[in-house]
């Protein structure tokens, strides 16, 4: 029986006001689990400087926590689609140690994916628009529109919260599917047929192409599951460029799905604490963030670390819904420099940018 366009049911089909996220998606680490993570970090560091691509369960050994992380992809697929891991003693670890712990935990779930033309396996989500004028959306401040990323599972670790605001806003993309199919069937059909997408210019120049090869479906069906991919940012970039002209109906459908995903009856806000790690099923969830007030000092600004994961046990994404191909990521990965994702390296590079701009 075809599921696409029907009223889906199940744990992943929820509405924000009706769900207690701490009941359905919060795991607080026990003291024993924290000590296990601490021992794994000490073991990793005893091996010398291990670069991120080389961090694996073998050199970041975990027992009970390892079982939790190995089982998380299935939990995200069969449950509500999100999990917040809480309880890491943030004050105990430096920023660099936090990044190593984060990558070590994530290695149990699957393969980290390259995120941009820089070849980075871990992105730094913070407002540096004053230092990088051409920054992508996740490198700018303020709120962020609802969207999905180009991976199976997205992870976000909070190094530092904002001065005020900056909550993670999530919605069930399957609930969005239901609403669109029921209330806006014409828009829904357009989204199932797909929209043209455009990468940021630098990402496009260093990949196989800047624009999608074909229209990319927002909703599709595969092996008894509806697969959601709502790259609203890439769609807006394409529409604004005028190089792949949208019809009025396509523009309306894009506007509608963005609004539906952000409806109060759909979204749920999850407040980050320093040290929290959030994991989302990128095939059943859509996410954004609320507006926030930040600190002016670079070392105090809101700072999250982002990992894109390809889940080992999941079926590959439907071919028509893949925007960043393996070849794109191979081309991007050629530009990666060792330890480039390390927070200390990232911050030092930003400070060098400030010095260069002052000299110029």
């Amino acid at each position: 029986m075809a599921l696409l366009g029907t009223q889906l049911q199940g744990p992943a089909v929820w509405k924000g006001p009706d769900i207690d996220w701490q009941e359905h998606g919060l795991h607080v680490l026990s003291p024993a689990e924290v000590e296990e993570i601490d021992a794994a970090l000490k073991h990793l560091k005893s091996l010398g400087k291990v670069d991120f691509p080389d961090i694996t369960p073998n050199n970041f050994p975990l027992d009970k926590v390892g079982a939790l992380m190995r089982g998380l992809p299935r939990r995200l697929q069969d449950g509500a689609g999100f999990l917040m891991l809480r309880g890491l003693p943030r004050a105990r670890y430096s920023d660099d140690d936090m990044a190593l712990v984060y990558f070590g935990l994530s290695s149990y779930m699957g393969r980290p994916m390259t995120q941009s033309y820089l070849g980075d396996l871990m992105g730094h989500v913070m407002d540096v628009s004053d230092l990088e004028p051409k920054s992508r959306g996740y490198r700018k401040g303020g709120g962020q529109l609802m969207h999905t990323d180009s991976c199976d599972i997205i992870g976000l670790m909070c190094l530092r919260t904002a001065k005020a605001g900056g909550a993670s806003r999530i919605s069930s993309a399957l609930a969005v599917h239901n609403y669109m199919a029921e209330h806006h069937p014409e828009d829904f059909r357009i989204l199932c047929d797909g929209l043209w997408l455009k990468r940021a210019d630098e990402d496009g120049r260093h990949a196989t192409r800047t624009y999608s090869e074909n229209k990319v479906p927002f909703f599709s069906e595969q092996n008894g599951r509806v697969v959601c991919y709502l790259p609203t940012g890439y769609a807006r970039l394409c529409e604004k460029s005028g190089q792949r002209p949208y019809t009025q109906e396509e523009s309306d459908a894009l506007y509608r799905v963005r609004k539906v995903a952000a409806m109060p009856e759909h979204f749920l806000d999850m407040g980050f604490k320093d040290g929290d790690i959030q994991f989302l099923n990128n095939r059943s969830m859509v996410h954004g963030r609320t507006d926030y007030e930040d600190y002016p000092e670079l070392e105090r600004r809101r700072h999250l670390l982002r990992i894109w994961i390809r889940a080992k046990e999941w079926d590959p994404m439907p071919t028509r819904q893949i925007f960043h191909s393996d070849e794109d990521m191979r081309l991007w990965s050629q530009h990666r420099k060792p330890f480039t994702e390390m927070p200390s390296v990232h911050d030092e590079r930003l400070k060098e940018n400030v010095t260069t701009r002052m000299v110029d």
Side-chain angles (χ1 to χ4, degrees):
M1 174 182 174
L3 295 175
L4 195 64
T6 66
Q7 290 300 292
L8 306 174
Q9 298 181 1
V13 187
W14 49 261
K15 295 184 177 181
D18 300 333
I19 189 171
D20 181 347
W21 72 264
Q22 296 192 37
E23 176 185 347
H24 291 86
L26 176 65
H27 180 91
V28 180
L29 294 166
S30 68
E33 289 173 324
V34 171
E35 292 307 311
E36 191 176 305
I37 292 170
D38 197 46
L41 176 62
K42 289 178 180 177
H43 174 76
L44 179 69
K45 294 175 69 174
S46 74
L47 302 176
K49 295 186 67 175
V50 180
D51 199 3
F52 289 104
D54 300 320
I55 297 175
T56 69
N58 289 331
N59 53 27
F60 196 84
L62 297 167
D63 184 15
K64 183 178 179 181
V65 179
L68 169 70
M69 299 308 299
R70 284 194 185 95
L72 188 51
R74 178 58 60 88
R75 178 173 176 174
L76 293 175
Q77 194 171 50
D78 295 339
F82 62 91
L83 180 80
M84 183 77 87
L85 200 62
R86 176 167 286 173
L88 278 175
R90 179 66 180 93
R92 182 186 301 181
Y93 302 121
S94 68
D95 288 359
D96 287 356
D97 284 348
M98 290 291 287
L100 294 173
V101 166
Y102 180 35
F103 213 90
L105 291 170
S106 299
S107 71
Y108 282 78
M109 302 172 63
R111 180 166 64 84
M113 301 167 65
T114 304
Q115 299 185 21
S116 78
Y117 76 95
L118 297 173
D120 47 339
L121 294 173
M122 185 161 57
H124 293 262
V125 181
M126 64 186 304
D127 181 10
V128 294
S129 56
D130 54 334
L131 307 176
E132 295 178 354
K134 295 183 178 180
S135 297
R136 280 169 55 179
Y138 70 96
R139 304 280 283 167
K140 298 178 181 179
Q144 196 170 44
L145 297 173
M146 303 296 274
H147 64 283
T148 54
D149 287 1
S150 299
C151 57
D152 292 339
I153 297 169
I154 177 174
L156 290 168
M157 169 185 266
C158 181
L159 292 183
R160 286 184 294 278
T161 55
K163 185 176 182 180
S168 170
R169 175 162 289 177
I170 62 176
S171 295
S172 164
L174 298 177
V176 173
H177 162 281
N178 286 358
Y179 190 97
M180 293 293 298
E182 179 179 4
H183 298 281
H184 305 286
E186 291 301 323
D187 292 334
F188 178 76
R189 280 191 283 272
I190 288 172
L191 295 172
C192 290
D193 289 338
L195 299 176
W196 291 104
L197 306 181
K198 177 186 180 296
R199 295 187 174 102
D201 291 337
E202 286 299 320
D203 284 343
R205 277 194 284 269
H206 292 85
T208 56
R209 57 182 59 85
T210 298
Y211 292 86
S212 58
E213 190 172 10
N214 302 289
K215 291 183 178 180
V216 177
F218 279 39
F219 303 104
S220 69
E221 185 173 348
Q222 176 180 259
N223 296 335
R225 294 182 185 271
V226 169
V227 180
C228 306
Y229 179 47
L230 279 64
T232 54
Y234 293 135
R236 291 176 70 230
L237 279 176
C238 187
E239 182 182 23
K240 288 181 178 179
S241 76
Q243 298 301 304
R244 301 291 189 276
Y246 277 32
T247 66
Q248 185 60 54
E249 291 77 15
E250 288 172 333
S251 293
D252 291 345
L254 175 59
Y255 174 82
R256 183 79 66 185
V257 74
R258 285 170 46 208
K259 293 297 182 182
V260 169
M263 289 171 60
E265 69 181 80
H266 286 147
F267 73 73
L268 166 69
D269 286 349
M270 300 175 69
F272 278 116
K273 295 182 179 180
D274 289 359
D276 282 352
I277 309 176
Q278 179 195 61
F279 292 103
L280 303 176
N281 179 342
N282 206 56
R283 302 189 189 186
S284 68
M285 300 281 300
V286 58
H287 66 276
R289 69 167 177 249
T290 64
D291 197 6
Y292 67 93
E293 180 185 359
D294 217 348
Y295 294 97
E297 302 89 354
L298 180 64
E299 62 274 9
R300 299 182 67 194
R301 293 183 189 181
R302 181 183 188 268
H303 192 168
L304 276 66
L305 302 178
R306 183 181 74 180
I307 288 181
W308 286 355
I309 299 169
R310 178 171 292 171
K312 292 181 290 189
E313 300 173 358
W314 293 10
D315 292 329
M317 279 283 287
T319 302
R320 289 188 62 211
Q321 285 183 297
I322 296 175
F323 185 33
H324 300 329
S325 68
D326 286 346
E327 178 61 13
D328 292 323
M329 293 188 183
R330 187 191 70 79
L331 293 171
W332 286 345
S333 67
Q334 295 176 350
H335 301 275
R336 183 184 180 273
K337 297 179 180 179
F339 300 98
T340 189
E341 300 91 352
M342 196 69 83
S344 60
V345 176
H346 168 268
D347 292 353
E348 186 61 33
R349 180 178 60 81
L350 286 173
K351 292 174 183 177
E352 290 174 357
N353 288 347
V354 172
T355 301
T356 302
R357 288 162 65 91
M358 290 176 65
V359 171
D360 293 344

